[in-house]
Amino acid sequence: MRYSGFKVIKEALTGHKGWKPAWRDPEPQSHYDIIIIGGGGHGLATAYYLAKEFKQKRIAVLEKGWVGGGNVGRNTTIIRSNYLLDGNEPFYEFSLKLWEGLEQDFNYNAMVSQRGILNLIHSDAQRDAFTRRGNAMILNGADAEMLTTAQIKKRYPFLNTEDARFPIKGGLAQHRGGTVRHDAVAWGYARSADSRGVDIIQNCEVTGFRITNGKCLGVETSKGFIGATKVGCAVAGSSSRLMSKANMRLPMESHVLQAFVSEGLKPVLPGVVTFGAGHFYCSQSDKGGLVFGGDLDGYNSYAQRGNLPVVEDVCEGGMAIFPALGRARLLRMWGGIMDMSMDGSPIIDKTHIDGLYFNGGWCYGGFKATPASGFCFAHLLAKDAPHPFAAAYRFDRFEKGMMIDEKGMGNQPNLH
Ligand SMILES: Cc1cc2nc3c(=O)[nH]c(=O)nc-3n(C[C@H](O)[C@H](O)[C@H](O)COP(=O)(O)OP(=O)(O)OC[C@H]3O[C@@H](n4cnc5c(N)ncnc54)[C@H](O)[C@@H]3O)c2cc1C
């Protein structure tokens, strides 16, 4: 069924009797050509592009819970391509371009809103660094603009540009950045993958791999053994736990990241703003809530909830640039499990086990990567060769010392 304005009007006039479930609820078959583990944004996007772009057949996505219950439905919805390094910037710009056509492509309203993102500058050294980043973005075909304090004040009048502890000295803007309704991304990919014949099997946890003579023959699940010619793992925060079942120890740690939403307010924040002297970022949802977040909780965990010291830290960051935030009431907060890699960049690669492929290490920036990650992982699975935009995201970069350390933090997963 194709969604359209015409369809909405027709259904409104005929008692909404013609809507069908957005995807089927199939029982697993005994064997698939390709199994994707994880029904988050990356897993579902991979299945969608495998079927649509790479014409693969007999594909299943196995999800231990429900579609959209992981980080894809827990993040703060920001998309951007304001990266510095060569390994990253072309990939994230490819992703942003896919976001720009996504709703027409998969026929679903994901509320892609290119309202812009602004990284605030608080020191001269930071201005130098952001100018360099902006130039790298432009050289890679992305958009970037340095703004003065006066330009910022005009667009964001409530930011404290007068007597702040960390004065605002300008900002790096990417006008094509913005927000997307996160869970609609999971639903849109799920629906379109399903309509192309992909089996999306929820409540099906992968509990192990069947590996014989160095080849992966399928997966053990809570619904029994399911055979596969190829298996792709895309379980984000659960990556280390899942891959340990194939006796792999990943260069990765799992950490908690929290998100916060205030009560609904009238429009006050036209775009996404990030604080440059601490970790705080904020946007306003279409329902009016201020959506914000900051640092990781700072210790390894698989809990999808956080602790109060980080709440205080994030709110302090917000108050430093946006004092009016103190008058808003906090409505909701939650946590997600982040797959933090050693250099802060992801991995999309084959493993040493024949037929077993891996996608993960998205740290806290994987939502914006969803379309490109799905596309590049699908390319790898279908052609057994890395997509050019993801060619640097290999396991062996840690062995060879070819890190893609965007923040220059070294092997400190919690700092990336
Ligand atoms: C609070 C917060 C804010 C964030 N903000 C942003 C942001 O603004 N911008 C941005 O770009 N990124 C952001 N991120 C990061 C982003 O959400 C993640 O990097 C990205 O969603 C991870 O990919 P995914 O969608 O596939 O993960 P998930 O949705 O977590 O998908 C993984 C799925 O695998 C399933 N799974 C796990 N183990 C198994 C198993 N054994 N068998 C079967 N299924 C299994 C899980 O149930 C889950 O559904 C944020 C994350 C959080 C938590």
Side-chain angles (χ1 to χ4, degrees), residues 38 40-42 63-64 70-72 75-76 78 206 236 364-368:
H42 293 234
E63 165 54 50
K64 77 171 174 189
N71 290 343
V72 69
N75 62 69
T76 37
I78 298 166
V206 171
Y364 36 61
F367 177 63
K368 71 177 104 64

Side-chain angles (χ1 to χ4, degrees), residues 23 38-42 44 63-75 182-187 190 200 202-203 235-238 302-305 334-337:
W23 57 85
H42 293 234
L44 292 165
E63 165 54 50
K64 77 171 174 189
W66 67 96
V67 157
N71 290 343
V72 69
R74 292 169 177 269
N75 62 69
H182 51 190
D183 36 20
V185 174
W187 302 331
I200 297 168
Q202 301 180 85
N203 299 311
V235 297
S238 302
Y302 288 104
Q304 290 178 308
R305 60 177 184 279
W334 62 87
I337 315 164

Side-chain angles (χ1 to χ4, degrees), residues 194-233:
D194 174 272
S195 72
R196 285 174 169 79
V198 173
D199 282 357
I200 297 168
I201 302 160
Q202 301 180 85
N203 299 311
C204 181
E205 178 170 3
V206 171
T207 51
F209 298 91
R210 191 173 289 179
I211 297 166
T212 308
N213 296 330
K215 176 156 178 52
C216 182
L217 304 176
V219 289
E220 307 290 348
T221 79
S222 51
K223 295 190 183 227
F225 173 74
I226 309 176
T229 311
K230 292 181 179 178
V231 176
C233 306

